[in-house]
């Protein structure tokens, strides 16, 4: 079996001797949506950020183990390349406030000092915005600031900005938690569409969201990966008592 992502004995510590993520092993298939669930502070976002080496921006955080992206160890790759191949979408929409919608989509190229011709830029912007169903809404406003958009539109712009760099993997850290129900529904529909072209990992507190959109689910507790399997199996017949207790609201 060929996997897009393999986590092998991955641990992350913020302080010596105490792991926020402890010895996680998992393999992610292509064109799937994987939900990471668990109570607050269980290590969900910490694990997600380890995948594209964001923790290295903070010198006190230590990540150990192996993370293989299409068979290549991310710790032996240029970190900027890793972050292009494993793009991150954050909890709150964060378009760059001084940039136009057009410039926001291309921001990754600018930050990576990649030069593009005008025609190439235009094509990337149009295709990226079309891929998140935003083109028709903003094509006449490309020179307006990204912050001019509604919250849901801003989050789709941020997803377009990530997709513009043609990633293998889309990492989403509670991408709908700051959005209203209608915007949340649109993002969920978009995730299901994007699955045809990308592999997606989403951290979510919303169990019904995980049930709606994910193929596979991970349940984490106190930094450990307690259970990992198909979402259907986990929600109907969990293998572990702690998983069942979490899903039924007994704890967490």
């Amino acid at each position: 079996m060929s996997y897009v992502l393999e986590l092998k004995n991955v641990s992350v510590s913020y302080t010596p001797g105490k792991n926020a993520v402890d010895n996680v092993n998992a393999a992610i298939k292509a064109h799937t949506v994987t939900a990471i669930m668990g109570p607050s502070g269980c290590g969900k976002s910490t694990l997600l950020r380890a995948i594209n080496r964001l923790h290295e921006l903070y010198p006190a955080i230590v990540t150990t183990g192996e993370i293989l992206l299409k068979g290549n160890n991310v710790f032996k790759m240029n970190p900027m390349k890793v972050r292009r191949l494993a793009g991150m979408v954050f909890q709150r929409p964060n378009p760059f406030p001084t940039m136009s919608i057009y410039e926001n989509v291309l921001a990754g190229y600018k930050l990576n000092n990649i030069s593009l011709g005008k025609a190439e830029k235009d094509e990337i912007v149009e295709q990226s915005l079309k891929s998140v169903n935003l083109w028709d809404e903003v094509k006449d406003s490309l020179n307006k600031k990204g912050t001019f958009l509604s919250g849901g539109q801003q989050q789709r712009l941020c997803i377009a900005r990530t997709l513009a760099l043609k990633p293998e993997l889309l990492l989403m850290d509670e991408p709908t938690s700051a959005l209203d129900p209608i915007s949340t529904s649109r993002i969920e529909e978009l995730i299901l569409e994007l699955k045809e072209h990308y592999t997606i990992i989403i951290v979510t507190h919303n169990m019904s969201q995980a049930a709606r959109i994910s193929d596979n689910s991970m349940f984490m507790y106190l930094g450990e990966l307690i259970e990992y399997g198909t979402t259907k199996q986990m929600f109907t017949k969990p293998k572990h008592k702690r998983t069942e207790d979490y899903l039924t609201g007994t704890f967490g």
Side-chain angles (χ1 to χ4, degrees), residues 37-40 42 205 207 219-222 224 226 240-252:
M37 300 181 294
S40 295
C42 71
H205 271 105
M207 288 181 283
F219 171 63
M220 295 187 68
Y221 183 62
L222 297 178
E224 291 184 48
I226 304 300
H240 295 270
K241 180 71 163 62
R242 281 181 290 188
T243 311
E244 183 178 353
D245 288 347
Y246 179 72
L247 292 174
T248 57
T250 307
F251 83 92

Side-chain angles (χ1 to χ4, degrees), residues 153-166:
Q153 288 175 320
Q154 286 186 30
Q155 192 65 301
R156 282 187 283 149
L157 174 61
C158 293
I159 296 170
R161 184 175 67 196
T162 301
L163 298 183
L165 288 166
K166 300 177 176 62

Side-chain angles (χ1 to χ4, degrees), residues 187-243:
I187 295 293
E188 289 182 359
E189 290 170 5
L190 175 61
I191 288 170
L192 292 173
E193 290 175 20
L194 292 174
K195 182 177 74 169
E196 293 184 24
H197 304 285
Y198 305 93
T199 304
I200 300 168
I201 304 175
I202 177 171
V203 165
T204 180
H205 271 105
N206 187 330
M207 288 181 283
S208 58
Q209 180 176 75
R212 284 193 297 270
I213 67 171
S214 68
D215 302 288
N216 302 298
S217 290
M218 298 182 182
F219 171 63
M220 295 187 68
Y221 183 62
L222 297 178
E224 291 184 48
L225 179 57
I226 304 300
E227 187 166 347
Y228 174 40
T230 68
T231 299
K232 183 177 180 180
Q233 175 265 316
M234 191 177 292
F235 276 79
T236 56
K237 198 172 181 181
K239 295 176 182 176
H240 295 270
K241 180 71 163 62
R242 281 181 290 188
T243 311

Side-chain angles (χ1 to χ4, degrees), residues 10-96:
V10 174
S11 295
V12 182
S13 62
Y14 294 96
T15 53
K18 182 174 175 58
N19 287 341
V21 167
D22 192 30
N23 203 41
V24 168
N25 290 275
I28 309 287
K29 295 177 184 175
H31 305 298
T32 57
V33 177
T34 300
I36 307 179
M37 300 181 294
S40 295
C42 71
K44 304 184 297 293
S45 294
T46 298
L47 178 62
L48 196 74
R49 289 164 185 248
I51 293 169
N52 72 348
R53 295 176 59 177
L54 278 182
H55 292 312
E56 291 175 31
L57 301 174
Y58 307 92
I61 303 175
V62 177
T63 305
T64 58
E66 275 190 299
I67 299 175
L68 304 180
L69 185 56
K70 296 196 82 172
N72 298 308
N73 189 336
V74 300
F75 298 114
K76 295 181 180 178
M77 298 166 62
N78 181 300
M80 293 300 284
K81 182 176 182 182
V82 174
R83 289 170 200 144
R84 284 171 54 196
L85 293 175
M88 179 76 79
V89 177
F90 295 95
Q91 187 170 0
R92 293 191 173 277
N94 60 341
F96 296 116

Side-chain angles (χ1 to χ4, degrees), residues 137-150:
E137 296 170 44
V138 303
K139 62 184 179 183
D140 298 321
S141 309
L142 294 176
N143 292 321
K144 290 188 177 181
K145 296 286 188 284
T147 49
F148 149 82
L149 301 171
S150 70

